[in-house]
RNA sequence: UGGGGAGUCGCCAAGUGGUAAGGCAUCGGUCUUUGGAGCCGACAUUCGGUGGUUCGAAUCCACCCUCCCCAGCCA
C-alpha cells in the first residue's frame, strides 16, 4: 500500500477519516473489503473496492480482503478465486487475506460471553412464530416465552446446538435487546442459527453459523479495522453493530459508515438478476462482455485505470444515484484514446479496384501507431491494386452532408493515396459489388503536392494482405434505461446486444495478437482480443464505438 | 400511519451564512491524414415547497411534500 501523504478530502468518508486522524482517534486507517463469495464482483463492487482500498492507501493505512462467509448454503469456492483475480486486476493489493470463518472459534466464545452476561438467549420459537412475535413496522414485538431462560440453561442449550444435537431450525441464539424497539433490527436479532451444512472452508466442523450482524463487528475489531464502510441499507443496522461491539470484549473500536451504492442505467446490478442471466443463458457466463461484472468488463476490453477513473468521477455520497453508462464509456474511450494503438480494419467490406495501379504489385506505407502518442512509433501497412473499404463509406447518390466516397469524388485513404471513384459495378439485382477507381501517385502518404484537401479520409485494407477475423459487436444488454423497474427485467433484453461479424478484414499487423490486446480500429472504435481466439482466427470484442458524427446526422 | 436515510442543471456532484465549482450528456463553433481526439463557447437569477430569522440563506429555524431502506434462522 502506498504511503503518500493524505490527499485533501473529496467526499464525506474521507472527511471523517481525515478528522479522525487529525483528532488522534486512530493512528492508522484500516479498512476492509468484505465480499460474500456467492457471485462475481460487478462495477458496483468496483466502486466499493476503490473507496476502501483508495482511502486506506491515501491515508497511509491498509485494507484487508475479508470474505463474509457466514452462510455455507449460498457460498462457493468458485467465486473466491474470481474475486481475488478481479481485485488484483483492478490494481489493488490487500494487507491481510481473511475470512469471517477464521474467527468462528472466537465468535463462538464471545457468544458464550453474551449468554453468561445475560445478553443473549436460546430461543426455540419456529421461524414463523418468530416472525409473528417480531411485530410490524408500526407495532412493537412481543417477547418470546423462552426469553428468560437462565444463563445456565442457555449455555447448555447453545453448547448442544454446537454439538449437533438439534436439527436445523430447532433453536437460534438471539441477542436480548428490546422487542419494542422502533428499529426492527434491535428486536432481539438472531445471532446464530443451526445449519447442518458443509462449509467451503471449515468443512463439517460447525453446524451453527453466526449471522452477518453478529460476525461483522467483531471481525472488524479483531482486524483493528477503523472505518467499516458499507452501503446505505445497513444504516439501520448501525445501532446493532455498535451494540455488539459494546457488549463484547473486543480489542478495538471500529465504526461503521454508509454510502450510496452505485447504480447504472441500461443494466441490472443485483447478484440475483446477474445469476439469472447466467443460469438461463441470456449471456455466455459471468464474464460475458455485456455483463457489468468486472470479469465481463475486462473481457470487453475495459482497462483497470478506466474503471478506477470512473469510480473517482462518480463520487461518494449518501444520495441514491443512477449513473449514466455514457460516463463509463467516456472513461474507457478517454484511456484507450491515449494508450491503444491504431490499426485499420473493415467490418463490412466493399471491393475497390485501383485501375491505374499495377497488377500484382504492392508497397508498404508507413502510418503512426497512435497520433496521440508519438512514442508509440509507426508501422507499415501493405497497399495494392485491390482494396476493401467500409461499405458505409460509399454512397452512389450521396446527400449533401455525406463527405465520403461517391461516383466521381476524390477521398483520401488514410496514410495512403487519394483515390477517385470512376465507376460502380453492380450485380443483377442492382447491388453495388465493386468500385473502380484511380489513384494519384503524387499523393503517396496522404498529402497532395498541390495542396488538395479531400473532405474525407477513409480506412482501408489491402485485399490480398488482409486477415480474416471474427468481430463481436456489443451493444447495451437492455433496451430500456431502467430494466429493473417492472416485474420482468428479462422482457427488456436487447435482442441486438451482440452482432457477430464472422469475417472482418484486418490489416496484417494484428496477426498473432494476444488475448486482451487492445486496439483502436480507426474510425470504428476500440477493440480487444478475446480469449476465444485461436492461432487460426483472431476474435475481437468491441469495447466501445468511436463517436460518429455522420451516424448522428442520419 | 414506527424507525432510519436522502432531496442542488437531463445524469452525477461541490458548496458547511456572504451572493450556485466541476464532470458526463446535449447544442454551437474551430481544427483535423480517424466526420475520432483536441481547442473555444453555450448550458441552474436558482438550490423539493411554504413561511420565518438575518444587512445577507442552498446553507439556520418551523411546517409541509417526494423518494429510498427496514418486519430473512440472507448479506
Amino acid at each position: 500500500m502506498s504511503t503518500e501523504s493524505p490527499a485533501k478530502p473529496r467526499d464525506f468518508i474521507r472527511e471523517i477519516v481525515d478528522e479522525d486522524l487529525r483528532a488522534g482517534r486512530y493512528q492508522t486507517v484500516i479498512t476492509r473489503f468484505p465480499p460474500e463469495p456467492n457471485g462475481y464482483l460487478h462495477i458496483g463492487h468496483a466502486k466499493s473496492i476503490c473507496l476502501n482500498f483508495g482511502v486506506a492507501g491515501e491515508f497511509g493505512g491498509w485494507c484487508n480482503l475479508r470474505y463474509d462467509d457466514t452462510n455455507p448454503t449460498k457460498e462457493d469456492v468458485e467465486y473466491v478465486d474470481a474475486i481475488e483475480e478481479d481485485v488484483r486486476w483492478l490494481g489493488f493489493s490487500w494487507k491481510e487475506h481473511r475470512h469471517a470463518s477464521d474467527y468462528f472459534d472466537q465468535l463462538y466464545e464471545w457468544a458464550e460471553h453474551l449468554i453468561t452476561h445475560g445478553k443473549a438467549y436460546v430461543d426455540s420459537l419456529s421461524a414463523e412464530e418468530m416472525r409473528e412475535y417480531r411485530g410490524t413496522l408500526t407495532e412493537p414485538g412481543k417477547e418470546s416465552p423462552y426469553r428468560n431462560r437462565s444463563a445456565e440453561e442457555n449455555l447448555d442449550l447453545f453448547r448442544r446446538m454446537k454439538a449437533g444435537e438439534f436439527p436445523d431450525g430447532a433453536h437460534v441464539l438471539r441477542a436480548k435487546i428490546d422487542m419494542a424497539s422502533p428499529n426492527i433490527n434491535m428486536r432481539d436479532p438472531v445471532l446464530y442459527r443451526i445449519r447442518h451444512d458443509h462449509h467451503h472452508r471449515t468443512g463439517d466442523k460447525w453446524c451453527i453459523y453466526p449471522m452477518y450482524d453478529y460476525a461483522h463487528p467483531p471481525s472488524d475489531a479483531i482486524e483493528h479495522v477503523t472505518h467499516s464502510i458499507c452501503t446505505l441499507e445497513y444504516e439501520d443496522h448501525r445501532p446493532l453493530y455498535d451494540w455488539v461491539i459494546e457488549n463484547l470484549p473486543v480489542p478495538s473500536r471500529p465504526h461503521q459508515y454508509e454510502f450510496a451504492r452505485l447504480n447504472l442505467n441500461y443494466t441490472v446490478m443485483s447478484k440475483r438478476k446477474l445469476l439469472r442471466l447466467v443460469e438461463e443463458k441470456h449471456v455466455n457466463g459471468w464474464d460475458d462482455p455485456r455483463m457489468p461484472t468486472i470479469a465481463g468488463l475486462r473481457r470487453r476490453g475495459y482497462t483497470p485505470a478506466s474503471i478506477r477513473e470512473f469510480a473517482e468521477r462518480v463520487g461518494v455520497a449518501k444520495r441514491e444515484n443512477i449513473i449514466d453508462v455514457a460516463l463509463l464509456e467516456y472513461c474507457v474511450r478517454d484511456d484507450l484514446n491515449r494508450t491503444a494503438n491504431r490499426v485499420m480494419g473493415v467490418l463490412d467490406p466493399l471491393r475497390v479496384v485501383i485501375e491505374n495501379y499495377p497488377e500484382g504489385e504492392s508497397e508498404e506505407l508507413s502510418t503512426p501507431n497512435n497520433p496521440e502518442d508519438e512514442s508509440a512509433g509507426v508501422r507499415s501497412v501493405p497497399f495494392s491494386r485491390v482494396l476493401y473499404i467500409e461499405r458505409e463509406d460509399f454512397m452512389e447518390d450521396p446527400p449533401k452532408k455525406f463527405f465520403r466516397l461517391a461516383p466521381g469524388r476524390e477521398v483520401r485513404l488514410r496514410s495512403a493515396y487519394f483515390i477517385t471513384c470512376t465507376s460502380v459495378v453492380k450485380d443483377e439485382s442492382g447491388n453495388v459489388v465493386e468500385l473502380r477507381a484511380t489513384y494519384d501517385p503524387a499523393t503517396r502518404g496522404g498529402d497532395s503536392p498541390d495542396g488538395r484537401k479531400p473532405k474525407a479520409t477513409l480506412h482501408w485494407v489491402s485485399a490480398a494482405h488482409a486477415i480474416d477475423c471474427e468481430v463481436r459487436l456489443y451493444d447495451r444488454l437492455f433496451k430500456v434505461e431502467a430494466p429493473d423497474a417492472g416485474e420482468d427485467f428479462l422482457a427488456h433484453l436487447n435482442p441486438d446486444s451482440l452482432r457477430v461479424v464472422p469475417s472482418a478484414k484486418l490489416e496484417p499487423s494484428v496477426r498473432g495478437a494476444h488475448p486482451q490486446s487492445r486496439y483502436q480500429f480507426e474510425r470504428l472504435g476500440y477493440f480487444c482480443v478475446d480469449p476465444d481466439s485461436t492461432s487460426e482466427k483472431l476474435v475481437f470484442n468491441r469495447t466501445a464505438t468511436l463517436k460518429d458524427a455522420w451516424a448522428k446526422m442520419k
Side-chain angles (χ1 to χ4, degrees):
Chain A
M1 204 49 69
S2 77
T3 52
E4 50 194 69
S5 56
K8 75 168 192 293
R10 299 187 299 286
D11 54 66
F12 79 99
I13 297 281
R14 277 175 249 250
E15 246 162 50
I16 289 166
V17 171
D18 199 40
E19 174 55 26
D20 283 347
L21 254 18
R22 193 197 320 280
R25 282 189 276 274
Y26 300 110
Q27 265 57 58
T28 310
V29 177
I30 304 173
T31 58
R32 101 271 88 116
F33 173 61
E36 183 187 14
N38 69 343
Y40 277 62
L41 261 26
H42 53 61
I43 185 77
H45 293 108
K47 174 179 178 181
S48 171
I49 290 167
C50 291
L51 213 213
N52 277 295
F53 284 91
V55 164
E58 286 157 32
F59 290 94
W62 65 79
C63 180
N64 291 340
L65 173 62
R66 184 174 74 230
Y67 292 99
D68 246 324
D69 55 350
T70 56
N71 185 357
T73 64
K74 285 170 61 186
E75 295 152 9
D76 199 290
V77 269
E78 176 204 346
Y79 301 120
V80 174
D81 300 334
I83 288 170
E84 274 164 55
E85 184 188 357
D86 290 346
V87 174
R88 247 188 236 112
W89 179 78
L90 273 177
F92 297 103
S93 356
W94 46 89
K95 168 100 168 200
E96 304 287 344
H97 177 290
R98 302 286 176 88
H99 293 78
S101 55
D102 294 339
Y103 311 131
F104 280 178
D105 285 300
Q106 177 67 81
L107 258 19
Y108 175 81
E109 191 182 305
W110 280 338
E112 287 204 352
H113 173 94
L114 288 177
I115 292 171
T116 307
H117 291 258
K119 305 281 188 168
Y121 64 97
V122 172
D123 198 356
S124 308
L125 249 28
S126 69
E128 306 79 72
E129 289 170 319
M130 206 180 289
R131 194 183 323 119
E132 287 161 21
Y133 275 73
R134 188 153 31 229
T136 69
L137 295 178
T138 50
E139 302 160 88
K142 286 185 302 186
E143 295 187 351
S144 164
Y146 305 100
R147 196 173 198 260
N148 294 309
R149 293 212 251 228
S150 68
E152 294 68 37
E153 189 185 358
N154 282 322
L155 216 43
D156 174 62
L157 249 14
F158 188 48
R159 285 174 179 166
R160 287 165 60 196
M161 280 167 63
K162 179 193 179 208
E165 289 186 29
F166 308 112
D168 288 7
H171 308 283
V172 292
L173 183 72
R174 289 233 248 172
K176 196 174 191 172
I177 307 180
D178 178 10
M179 288 307 291
S181 172
N183 181 345
I184 290 186
N185 295 298
M186 299 299 271
R187 319 241 261 231
D188 290 10
V190 172
L191 267 23
Y192 268 91
R193 74 288 216 184
I194 300 172
R195 265 309 201 253
H196 289 271
D197 227 332
H198 189 84
H199 185 281
H200 67 96
R201 293 197 80 242
T202 60
D204 298 315
K205 178 176 177 186
W206 298 89
C207 61
I208 56 171
Y209 291 92
M211 299 288 288
Y212 165 88
D213 283 318
Y214 174 65
H216 210 86
S219 297
D220 284 341
I222 289 168
E223 294 173 23
H224 288 79
V225 164
T226 53
H227 302 262
S228 187
I229 304 168
C230 60
T231 44
L232 254 30
E233 67 270 27
Y234 290 99
E235 221 152 12
D236 284 346
H237 295 240
R238 196 186 332 136
L240 178 51
Y241 183 99
D242 291 337
W243 183 93
V244 173
I245 289 295
E246 282 155 16
N247 286 284
L248 253 25
V250 292
S252 77
R253 209 321 178 180
H255 287 274
Q256 173 183 300
Y257 300 96
E258 313 84 14
F259 71 100
R261 60 151 22 96
L262 171 77
N263 294 293
L264 264 190
N265 59 10
Y266 293 102
T267 191
V268 292
M269 208 75 96
S270 85
K271 279 189 190 173
R272 202 195 102 247
K273 291 192 171 99
L274 294 176
L275 180 64
R276 199 156 156 219
L277 289 171
V278 172
E279 286 184 334
E280 294 177 10
K281 308 237 188 289
H282 295 108
V283 296
N284 304 310
W286 285 101
D287 68 343
D288 185 295
R290 291 165 292 184
M291 291 282 273
T293 50
I294 306 222
L297 291 165
R298 174 169 57 233
R299 190 166 177 184
R300 176 81 169 248
Y302 274 73
T303 57
S306 68
I307 294 174
R308 279 187 249 118
E309 178 65 18
F310 173 70
E312 188 123 330
R313 282 170 182 265
V314 143
V316 177
K318 300 194 73 148
R319 197 183 293 132
E320 229 37 91
N321 61 81
I322 301 175
I323 308 296
D324 192 338
V325 284
L327 179 61
L328 218 208
E329 289 166 358
Y330 167 84
C331 290
V332 235
R333 287 195 188 100
D334 188 49
D335 187 21
L336 260 16
N337 179 45
R338 283 179 274 113
T339 58
N341 280 169
R342 269 110 246 233
V343 108
M344 287 194 285
V346 175
L347 263 26
D348 187 9
L350 174 59
R351 216 173 121 89
V352 180
V353 177
I354 314 293
E355 295 186 300
N356 59 339
Y357 195 89
E359 244 165 292
E361 276 188 30
S362 73
E363 65 187 300
E364 294 289 325
L365 298 167
S366 175
T367 187
N369 281 323
N370 186 346
E372 307 289 318
D373 176 13
E374 212 175 305
S375 72
V378 296
R379 70 184 186 288
S380 64
V381 289
F383 184 88
S384 63
R385 179 178 159 91
V386 182
L387 314 169
Y388 291 121
I389 63 165
E390 209 68 62
R391 180 154 232 114
E392 267 199 341
D393 285 339
F394 172 79
M395 270 190 138
E396 196 172 10
D397 187 18
K400 195 95 173 80
K401 299 270 187 103
F402 186 88
F403 302 140
R404 281 113 96 144
L405 199 57
R409 187 182 286 176
E410 182 176 61
V411 297
R412 169 167 44 226
L413 294 182
R414 165 119 247 231
S415 298
Y417 295 97
F418 291 3
I419 61 165
T420 303
C421 176
T422 51
S423 62
V424 179
V425 182
K426 298 181 184 175
D427 62 13
E428 319 74 54
S429 32
N431 300 310
V432 177
V433 294
E434 181 181 294
L435 263 26
R436 310 297 285 192
T438 55
Y439 83 117
D440 176 357
T443 57
R444 193 183 136 106
D447 274 314
S448 170
D450 65 11
R452 251 151 57 226
K453 298 269 184 208
K455 279 273 205 27
T457 300
L458 309 186
H459 60 279
W460 54 276
V461 94
S462 166
H465 306 269
I467 60 175
D468 277 20
C469 298
E470 176 177 325
V471 176
R472 299 173 181 170
L473 304 174
Y474 295 102
D475 196 355
R476 39 190 60 143
L477 228 202
F478 294 93
K479 296 174 294 190
V480 302
E481 273 197 55
D484 258 332
E487 46 320 309
D488 182 20
F489 74 104
L490 295 173
H492 302 302
L493 278 167
N494 175 5
D496 303 314
S497 60
L498 169 58
R499 206 180 102 223
V500 177
V501 177
S503 51
K505 305 290 186 184
L506 278 266
E507 67 168 71
S509 73
V510 299
R511 202 190 309 276
H514 297 295
Q516 287 288 291
S517 303
R518 302 178 182 94
Y519 298 93
Q520 182 197 97
F521 289 3
E522 286 206 51
R523 303 210 304 136
L524 296 177
Y526 296 97
F527 294 79
C528 176
V529 179
D530 189 86
D532 282 350
S533 297
T534 64
S535 51
E536 303 294 294
K537 192 169 203 175
L538 282 171
V539 176
F540 285 90
N541 294 319
R542 184 172 66 196
T543 308
T545 58
L546 235 30
K547 290 184 185 168
D548 182 345
W550 166 244
K552 220 156 64 179
M553 280 189 266
K554 279 194 285 191

